[in-house]
Amino acid sequence: MLVARRIFAVILGLPLLALLTAATVLGAAGATVLNGEFLADAMQDTDFQARVHRDGLPTLIRELAERQDERLPGNLQGMNLPADDASIARMTEVVQTMFPEALVQAQTDEFLREFVPWITGRTDSFAWQVDLHDPLIATFGARGSEPGLFQ
């Protein structure tokens, strides 16, 4: 009888150990990678938005200009963006002015705080809006005595 109980304990012990391991992993993930606050703080600590703004945007714009046929959506095909270095530098400057690092960081933080609870099932709905009014006005609006670009 003692041998049977030991065999039974070993047989039940392995699935219970696997269940304990899975619960520990999920608990740790819930406190880290499945937590929007944690992800937003980690991105801020690693200076992620600054690196994307400084290094990622120029690379993205260069690739977009060089591979327009593949990268541009159908309604923008045939735009023929200039692909020389000066034009790419200017387009990068416009995009970086339109979407400053602080705006990118605020939008990313808001997205993570809304998306992660939805994807993990903590909330039933997900809504995220990007306000382009202020960046457009800041980039193309009137400056001093100069009229805006679209006036």
Side-chain angles (χ1 to χ4, degrees):
M1 186 69 175
L2 184 60
V3 173
R5 279 192 268 169
R6 287 183 180 172
I7 292 173
F8 186 66
V10 169
I11 291 172
L12 282 180
L14 294 175
L16 289 176
L17 182 61
L19 184 64
L20 176 65
T21 303
T24 303
V25 168
L26 288 175
T32 54
V33 296
L34 298 178
N35 183 329
E37 296 287 330
F38 173 82
L39 290 174
D41 291 342
M43 290 178 80
Q44 189 171 5
D45 291 346
T46 59
D47 211 18
F48 179 78
Q49 285 90 353
R51 287 187 289 144
V52 166
H53 203 259
R54 181 185 62 243
D55 303 330
L57 278 177
T59 303
L60 176 69
I61 291 171
R62 177 171 299 284
E63 181 159 327
L64 183 69
E66 290 174 353
R67 300 173 66 192
Q68 294 177 46
D69 295 337
E70 300 169 22
R71 301 288 183 200
L72 285 178
N75 61 338
L76 298 178
Q77 290 290 331
M79 251 177 88
N80 295 328
L81 294 171
D84 60 286
D85 289 340
S87 297
I88 289 174
R90 182 67 180 136
M91 286 187 282
T92 301
E93 181 183 330
V94 168
V95 171
Q96 287 175 333
T97 301
M98 189 175 194
F99 300 104
E101 186 181 326
L103 176 69
V104 172
Q105 181 172 353
Q107 291 290 328
T108 304
D109 290 350
E110 181 184 338
F111 173 78
L112 288 173
R113 287 182 175 90
E114 294 290 326
F115 179 73
V116 171
W118 175 74
I119 198 74
T120 57
R122 294 182 202 140
T123 59
D124 293 334
S125 62
F126 169 67
W128 182 56
Q129 296 177 350
V130 177
D131 179 24
L132 296 179
H133 179 266
D134 293 338
L136 284 171
I137 295 299
T139 305
F140 300 112
R143 295 176 190 226
S145 62
E146 295 180 22
L149 182 66
F150 299 110
Q151 292 180 354

